[in-house]
Structure formats: structure tokens, C-alpha cells
């Protein structure tokens, strides 16, 4: 299930990322998540990281490629 959340300029707003994570969480048939984001944030205190951790705890496989800047 492809979910496009970044715009043409690679802007990926936090609300769009968390909305996509919520979508995955609400669909138990989705077992693997592959995310490629151009995103900078604090992984110690962030709703995106919390959402990813929640999916992993539910048994989903989450693969994330982040922009290296």
C-alpha cells in the first residue's frame, strides 16, 4: 500500500508521517513498512519515533532510510 506523504520538494510534514503510521496501525493486514524520508528530528522525544516503535511492538517490520545530511 503506497502512501505518498512528501511533496515534490521532499517536504514531509510531521502530521503526514504520523497520519500514515496511524493508517498502518489500523490495518493489521499490513505487515511490513518501508519508509524513506528526508526528515530531521529528535528521536528521543518525537511522535514519529513513538509511532514507529509502536508498530514494531505490534510485530510489524519497519525499515527506514533517512536522509544523511
Amino acid at each position: 500500500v503506497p502512501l505518498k506523504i512528501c511533496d515534490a520538494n521532499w517536504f514531509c510534514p510531521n502530521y503526514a508521517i504520523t497520519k500514515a503510521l496511524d493508517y498502518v496501525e489500523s490495518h493489521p493486514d499490513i505487515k511490513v513498512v518501508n519508509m524513506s524520508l528526508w526528515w530531521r528530528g529528535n528521536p528521543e522525544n518525537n511522535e514519529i519515533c513513538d509511532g514507529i516503535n509502536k508498530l514494531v511492538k505490534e510485530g510489524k517490520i519497519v525499515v527506514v532510510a533517512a536522509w544523511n545530511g
Side-chain angles (χ1 to χ4, degrees):
V1 178
L3 302 173
K4 182 174 169 59
I5 59 170
C6 301
D7 67 17
N9 296 315
W10 289 90
F11 176 67
C12 308
N14 283 3
Y15 73 85
I17 299 169
T18 55
K19 186 175 178 181
L21 294 172
D22 290 343
Y23 178 87
V24 171
E25 182 184 2
S26 68
H27 289 79
D29 53 317
I30 299 174
K31 305 289 185 203
V32 178
V33 180
N34 180 16
M35 302 170 65
S36 179
L37 304 173
W38 184 12
W39 173 78
R40 293 182 186 181
N42 179 359
E44 297 299 321
N45 184 15
N46 188 281
E47 65 274 4
I48 295 169
C49 294
D50 292 344
I52 292 169
N53 287 330
K54 189 173 184 180
L55 293 178
V56 170
K57 287 179 183 175
E58 292 175 359
K60 298 184 187 286
I61 297 169
V62 181
V63 179
V64 181
W67 176 66
N68 295 317

